[in-house]
Structures are given as C-alpha cells and as structure tokens.
Amino acid sequence: PFTKKAQHLTQVSNRWKVGLGKKVTLLRGISIIIGTIIGAGIFISPKGILKHSGSVGMSLIVWIACGVLSLFGALSYAELGTCIKKSGGHYTYILEAFGPQMAFVRLWADLIAIRPAALAVISLAFGQYILEPLFMPCSVPPMAVKLATAISITSVMYLNSMSVTWTARIQIFLTFSKLLAIAIIIVPGMYQLFKGETKNFENAFDLSKVQLSGMPLAFYSGMYAYAGWFYLNFVIEEVDNPERNVPLAICISMAIVTCCYVLTNVAYYTVMSAEELLASEAVAVTFAEKLLGNFSIAVPVFVALSCYGSMNGGTFALSRTFYVASREGHLPEVLSMIHVHKHTPMAAVLILYPMTMLQLFVGDIYSLLNFMSFLRWLFIGVVVLGLIYLRYTKPDLPRPFKVPLFIPVVFCLTCFFMVFLSLYSDPVNTGIGFAISLTGIPAYYIFIHFNHRPKWLQRGLGKL
C-alpha cells in the first residue's frame, strides 16, 4: 500500500510540475534559425562584400564560402547541442567546458550591453521601414521611429511572455514572409537572367580591382550576414527529439539561407551594375523600382516584417540563456521561474525590456555595437574550442551527432581570425569592448564567488 501511495503521489507531482514543454518541432526550429539569420541586411545593403572583394564574381564566391563556413560552425553547435542537452547556447557550452567564471563573463557582456543594443538596433530598423510607406516621399521623423520601435519591442516581449506556441506560430509566419520577399526578388531576377540580361556578369572575375587586403573584410561582412545559426541551441530543452531535429533543422536552414543569399545577389546584378549597387541606399528598393514599378512600395513593409522576425526569434532564444543562468545560480532565482499557466519564463523574457528601452532613448547604440562586435566571434570561437577540448577531456560523453574534427578546427581558426581582424582594423573600439567585458570578472567575485559577502550587500541582493 505504501508503494502504491508513493507512486500515486509521484504521478500527481509530475502532473502538476511546472516546466518548459517540448514545443519546438522541426518546422519551428527551421523558422527560428532562418527567421533570426535573415534580417534587413540582404534587402538594404548587401554591398560590404562587393566593396571589399572587388568584383561581382568574387563577391558571389565570398557569399558561398561564408555560407559553408557558417555551416561548419552550425554543425559544431549541433554536436554540442545533442551531447549537452541544456538550453542556453554559448553560456552553457562555455560553462561545461571551461567553468563558471568564463561563462559568467560571457553572460555579463550579454546582459549589460550586447543583447539590449542588438535588439534596439534591429527594432529601430523595424520602426524606420514600417513607417516609411506612410511618410513617402518625406523622411520619417526620428521620434516617430523611436515610438514605433518602443511599441514593437513591447509587443515582442508581451508575445514571448504569454505563449510559446503563439510565439513559434508567428515566427513561422514571419519566416515565410521573409522567404516570400526574397522570392519576389529572385524570380524576376532569374527571368531577366534567362532572357539574356547578363551584361553585368561580363568580366565578373576581373581581378584588376581585387585587393588581398580587402578580402578579410569581405569575409567579415559575409560572416556577420549569416550570424544567427546558433539560436536553436539556446532552446535545446524545448526541442522535440533534439538528436534528430537539431542537426536536420541546422542543415536545412543553412542550405536555404545560402541559396537565398546567393540567388538574391545574382538577381540584383541582372538589373544593377556593381557601381549602381554600391551607390544605392536601399538595394531591394532600387531593384523593385527598376523592375516592379509601383510594387516597390511593398518592399519596406517586407523589410519591417523581416526585422520583426529577427526580434521575435532573438528574444525567444535569449530569454532561455537568462533562465538557465539563473538555474545555475549566476542570476537572481526569479529568472528561472516559469509562469504557472502560460508555461513561459516570463521574468527571463522581461529582463531585457527595461535595458533595451533605456538604450533606445538614452544610449549611443551604434557605438556600443562597434565595441561589442568582436566579442561575438571571440566567444563563439571559445565555444567551438570547447568542443575540441571536450573531445579529449570527456571522450566517453554520449555524442548522438558527431562531426569530423577538421570542421570545428577550421571554424575555430576562422573565428579567431575575425577577432584578430577586429583588433587590427579598429583597436580603440575593440579595446573598449574588451574592457567592458572584463568588468564581468570583479562582478563574478562580488555577486557569485564569495560566500561571506558583507551583510549590507546580502540585504541589498536579497531585496533585489
């Protein structure tokens, strides 16, 4: 009787246990990756690669090469995600490989600067392009952009706080909207190509303007355009059948994004010369005006939807980092709490809201992003280095999905090359960003490491 009673109590306990459900299917996983990778850049200014590569042909090769390198990174993360089945992405993998101090430094930089600034920037792009059709041909007032941006950030936070299911459904819709926008560019462009509009591809591999010193910068621009492939790892605990769905979602997403990026650029070149593309303020709008006439007014709306998808997917994924960090004792306990009825980590979602709004109306966001851009590649490189390190320190760790060793080695070298390039090209801003991240070390010892904190600090943290 006692055994039966214990079993009954266990069943009742499990029934009422509050946690994050496995609601991320293969399609939703693909939508998270594609929806966060494809932002506004491919529609507005895909010219950094062309500018630094020197020719049309070389720019297309760089787009393809960056897609392959990003796939290497994504496959490395797929191995980590299937053997370390914890949400949190970069933070979790650094914690497992190199310990709590380095993981906290990454978390600290994310929380105080990188993520609020990145969210504010993509939100500002949304505010700009959603209002543009209403104010044409005039420019949009800056305060109107900020108000629209504030409304968009609030709506994304509300959506992510209320329902995982609806967040995922809207992400799927926004992802299809992005792919539709890209199809509207690719299909007419391919039609022009088959009609024989190939004059801009003549001498595509003319090497007279190609400078080897510019190629690293071209790759830097390309790798930035593909950034976002790691977001599914932030929500591993919510992925249904992760051993199958994580590698599959990553491979499908990277193939789709690489094809879309390359074909979109080919479509641009059927209508615009390299000089016209470099001179254009908004490449997709110029393309639509030349080929689609009045339909070009719809392009800013599609760009805005693309930005909203990046905001939604990024918020959904990043909130899980703070949720896991709280569970590990690196952030206040309230952030690891799940809403009883909504089954969302509401506090972990909302922690970004005040800091993003503050930076939106007060801070110099773009300067902050310049400080922090190199930290992205530094920590991703550290994570993939951790994969190689774990191969030797924990060889018996179950690895349902395992990549050949040369893949993480090549990608790790690529990441550290990007860090070196940042130091070489902009030592001042990179140094400031590095200094901001290093403030995480004293913060770790003050808030986490010391068990015998001063009583006034204990009382203050308790109230917080």
Side-chain angles (χ1 to χ4, degrees):
F2 291 108
T3 305
K4 287 182 179 178
K5 187 174 182 181
Q7 288 174 344
H8 173 70
L9 289 172
T10 302
Q11 289 171 356
V12 170
S13 173
N14 288 336
R15 192 185 308 157
W16 291 102
K17 187 178 178 181
V18 178
L20 296 173
K22 288 187 175 292
K23 297 182 179 180
V24 179
T25 60
L26 176 60
L27 180 59
R28 290 174 179 177
I30 291 169
S31 73
I32 287 171
I33 298 171
I34 294 177
T36 45
I37 291 178
I38 301 176
I42 192 66
F43 300 107
I44 305 304
S45 56
K47 50 192 179 184
I49 292 176
L50 176 62
K51 179 181 176 183
H52 296 296
S53 62
S55 72
V56 170
M58 287 302 294
S59 72
L60 294 176
I61 287 175
V62 170
W63 277 108
I64 295 168
C66 289
V68 172
L69 283 170
S70 297
L71 177 62
F72 281 9
L75 290 173
S76 302
Y77 267 61
E79 178 179 325
L80 285 166
T82 52
C83 71
I84 303 171
K85 296 185 183 70
K86 291 182 184 178
S87 295
H90 316 311
Y91 165 80
T92 298
Y93 305 140
I94 293 173
L95 181 67
E96 290 289 327
F98 301 114
Q101 184 173 327
M102 189 176 287
F104 183 84
V105 170
R106 165 70 199 190
L107 178 72
W108 179 260
D110 261 357
L111 188 61
I112 66 167
I114 297 175
R115 298 306 174 184
L119 182 59
V121 166
I122 195 72
S123 306
L124 279 169
F126 170 85
Q128 175 71 38
Y129 287 102
I130 199 68
L131 293 177
E132 195 167 288
L134 302 177
F135 284 86
M136 281 183 176
C138 303
S139 59
V140 185
M143 187 49 68
V145 171
K146 290 197 172 186
L147 289 174
T149 301
I151 292 169
S152 70
I153 294 170
T154 304
S155 67
V156 165
M157 296 292 176
Y158 177 81
L159 177 63
N160 278 269
S161 299
M162 290 297 106
S163 173
V164 172
T165 302
W166 274 103
T167 300
R169 285 174 181 169
I170 288 174
Q171 188 65 15
I172 291 171
F173 165 75
L174 292 168
T175 299
F176 278 111
S177 298
K178 293 183 186 204
L179 295 177
L180 176 63
I182 286 176
I184 289 170
I185 294 169
I186 290 174
V187 173
M190 292 301 104
Y191 177 70
Q192 292 293 109
L193 190 65
F194 292 134
K195 274 176 59 181
E197 293 291 336
T198 57
K199 63 179 182 294
N200 294 325
F201 294 98
E202 293 172 5
N203 301 318
F205 290 94
D206 179 15
L207 301 180
S208 61
K209 294 182 181 179
V210 176
Q211 294 183 339
L212 289 177
S213 59
M215 292 304 289
L217 293 171
F219 271 92
Y220 193 91
S221 299
M223 294 298 287
Y224 185 82
Y226 282 99
W229 42 261
F230 41 74
Y231 276 113
L232 189 59
N233 291 68
F234 285 59
V235 296
I236 284 287
E237 292 173 27
E238 295 166 75
V239 177
D240 182 40
N241 191 6
E243 291 86 355
R244 171 186 175 271
N245 287 340
V246 169
L248 206 53
I250 283 171
C251 290
I252 293 170
S253 301
M254 293 310 300
I256 291 172
V257 171
T258 304
C259 289
C260 285
Y261 278 1
V262 173
L263 292 176
T264 301
N265 278 277
V266 170
Y268 288 150
Y269 292 131
T270 62
V271 176
M272 290 178 278
S273 65
E275 291 74 20
E276 287 174 320
L277 191 141
L278 288 171
S280 174
E281 290 295 320
V283 177
V285 175
T286 306
F287 175 89
E289 286 172 349
K290 288 196 170 196
L291 210 56
L292 305 175
N294 292 331
F295 187 75
S296 61
I297 198 170
V299 172
V301 177
F302 278 117
V303 174
L305 288 174
S306 184
C307 294
Y308 196 86
S310 295
M311 292 159 58
N312 186 53
T315 303
F316 179 74
L318 291 166
S319 60
R320 273 55 179 179
T321 297
F322 304 135
Y323 166 77
V324 172
S326 172
R327 205 170 59 189
E328 296 289 340
H330 283 176
L331 287 175
E333 189 179 357
V334 67
L335 298 180
S336 61
M337 295 182 182
I338 307 296
H339 193 282
V340 176
H341 303 297
K342 309 294 183 187
H343 296 279
T344 60
M346 188 178 287
V349 171
L350 295 176
I351 188 175
L352 278 175
Y353 185 68
M355 301 183 76
T356 305
M357 297 297 277
L358 183 69
Q359 291 193 15
L360 176 65
F361 286 99
V362 177
D364 186 356
I365 301 166
Y366 294 98
S367 293
L368 194 57
L369 271 187
N370 288 336
F371 297 155
M372 295 298 171
S373 61
F374 94 105
L375 287 177
R376 175 201 293 265
W377 299 112
L378 174 64
F379 283 113
I380 290 174
V382 168
V383 168
V384 178
L385 185 64
L387 181 152
I388 300 167
Y389 179 69
L390 288 172
R391 287 273 186 97
Y392 292 99
T393 56
K394 296 182 180 179
D396 298 326
L397 194 68
R399 292 177 172 86
F401 179 81
K402 190 174 180 179
V403 295
L405 190 60
F406 82 89
I407 287 179
V409 168
V410 169
F411 185 75
C412 191
L413 291 172
T414 302
C415 287
F416 290 128
F417 173 73
M418 308 273 272
V419 172
F420 173 77
L421 185 65
S422 295
L423 285 167
Y424 176 76
S425 62
D426 194 357
V428 175
N429 282 342
T430 302
I432 293 171
F434 196 63
I436 291 172
S437 69
L438 288 179
T439 60
I441 295 174
Y444 173 77
Y445 283 101
I446 292 171
F447 295 110
I448 308 298
H449 183 71
F450 294 130
N451 291 323
H452 303 290
R453 302 185 187 98
K455 287 186 178 180
W456 63 268
L457 183 56
Q458 288 183 25
R459 285 196 297 270
L461 290 173
K463 288 177 182 178
L464 180 64

